[in-house]
Amino acid sequence: MSINQIRKLSLDDVLNYKSIRLELLQNEPMNFGSSFEEENAFSNQMWIDRLTKKYIHPIGAFDGEELIGIVLLVCNPRAKMKHVATINSMYVKAKYRGQGIANELLQTAIITAREEHVEKLNLSVVSTNVFAYQLYKRHGFTEYGEEKNAIQYEGQYAHLLLMSKTL
């Protein structure tokens, strides 16, 4: 299997985006701060906003028409912090992992950040998500802190590693 397109998501992708976002929250509940139950109750407008707000750059990987991976670049809209953006919601469907798709999604997000004149990228990753941590390290992100017990799900806690990259 090979992907045939990585591109910015548009309003036309809202149903596919909602589907993959709910999938990641259901399949990887300890790796993300939000929950399936919370986001499943979102209004249609909330999903539309995630794809159309000027400072949010949703990027998707496609295999044909199927959305198989996502990442969000969220630029800071505040005047004094426009030089800082955040990478979040990185996810690739399980059957597509190990093919370099996350690498391409992250590289596209970094290129987009540079085009938006971002000077610094931040992200957080659950400390047990070794593959994601290694991906971010390969792209030049460095760890600058840890938020212990940042996520709590079904009585278990997860720590977040805070990482940053200067562009």
Side-chain angles (χ1 to χ4, degrees):
M1 287 181 248
S2 64
I3 60 167
N4 61 13
Q5 188 175 37
I6 292 191
R7 64 170 172 80
K8 184 170 180 179
L9 300 178
S10 71
L11 189 53
D12 293 337
D13 300 306
V14 71
L15 294 178
N16 286 330
Y17 173 72
K18 177 181 179 181
S19 176
I20 198 170
R21 179 72 186 165
L22 292 175
E23 176 185 313
L24 73 87
L25 294 172
Q26 204 161 34
N27 292 348
E28 312 275 347
M30 288 299 287
N31 286 344
F32 299 94
S34 191
S35 73
F36 173 85
E37 295 76 16
E38 287 172 312
E39 294 200 14
N40 195 38
F42 280 178
S43 69
N44 286 338
Q45 189 59 51
M46 181 76 83
W47 293 106
I48 290 168
D49 287 350
R50 285 197 174 175
L51 297 185
T52 59
K53 287 202 173 183
K54 183 179 179 184
Y55 60 90
I56 299 175
H57 302 274
I59 300 163
F62 290 84
D63 182 14
E65 296 295 313
E66 182 183 4
L67 181 58
I68 60 169
I70 59 169
V71 67
L72 295 183
L73 171 69
V74 182
C75 296
N76 198 314
R78 300 191 190 287
K80 292 193 274 183
M81 297 186 73
K82 284 184 182 280
H83 66 289
V84 180
T86 304
I87 297 285
N88 65 33
S89 302
M90 172 67 82
Y91 179 75
V92 174
K93 290 185 175 194
K95 75 177 187 176
Y96 290 93
R97 293 180 187 164
Q99 299 178 40
I101 296 167
N103 184 65
E104 290 187 48
L105 284 166
L106 184 57
Q107 186 60 39
T108 302
I110 291 168
I111 290 167
T112 303
R114 286 189 175 116
E115 290 169 351
E116 293 295 317
H117 309 287
V118 170
E119 298 172 20
K120 180 180 173 183
L121 281 174
N122 293 329
L123 61 83
S124 61
V125 60
V126 174
S127 61
T128 56
N129 192 343
V130 176
F131 291 112
Y133 180 79
Q134 290 172 344
L135 170 71
Y136 300 137
K137 291 284 282 185
R138 281 194 308 273
H139 280 270
F141 286 84
T142 57
E143 191 176 331
Y144 69 88
E146 180 178 28
E147 187 176 349
K148 293 195 180 288
N149 298 332
I151 294 176
Q152 190 262 345
Y153 179 73
E154 295 184 347
Q156 295 183 355
Y157 291 90
H159 309 316
L160 288 177
L161 302 177
L162 309 176
M163 301 182 80
S164 187
K165 173 185 175 77
T166 301
L167 299 180

